[in-house]
Amino acid sequence: MNRNLINNYRMGGYLLIAIGLINLRYQSGQSSVLRHSLTIVVPGALVLAATWIPSLARALELRSTKAITLCLGLALVAYAVLN
């Protein structure tokens, strides 16, 4: 198992959780802010949890999984910024 790759996934998960919580705090006056924030936080928490489960951590090392998670992560960060 590539520890640097797993650490990158963990940092990405933490990033999404932090951005989602910041989004929740600073847009608290807007309607459906909880739904928007959970849209960012939940995938981050799932990626973070997957890094601690050995069978899922091995799946995260696949080239296709790397591409999918990178695209999804970038899309979620863009969604948080533009939302």
Side-chain angles (χ1 to χ4, degrees):
M1 196 171 349
N2 187 347
R3 291 182 89 43
N4 288 330
L5 179 65
I6 295 301
N7 284 335
N8 289 340
Y9 277 115
R10 287 182 183 152
M11 291 301 114
Y14 289 132
L15 171 74
L16 290 175
I17 292 169
I19 289 174
L21 293 175
I22 290 169
N23 186 37
L24 180 65
R25 171 63 184 104
Y26 286 103
Q27 295 187 10
S28 59
Q30 302 217 358
S31 63
S32 68
V33 68
L34 183 61
R35 181 172 49 94
H36 291 296
S37 294
L38 287 178
T39 302
I40 303 164
V41 170
V42 170
L46 291 174
V47 167
L48 186 60
T51 64
W52 295 103
I53 301 170
S55 59
L56 292 178
R58 281 191 296 278
L60 290 174
E61 293 182 355
L62 298 174
R63 186 179 185 114
S64 59
T65 308
K66 290 177 196 177
I68 291 169
T69 55
L70 178 64
C71 291
L72 180 62
L74 290 175
L76 288 170
V77 169
Y79 174 73
V81 169
L82 297 175
N83 185 5

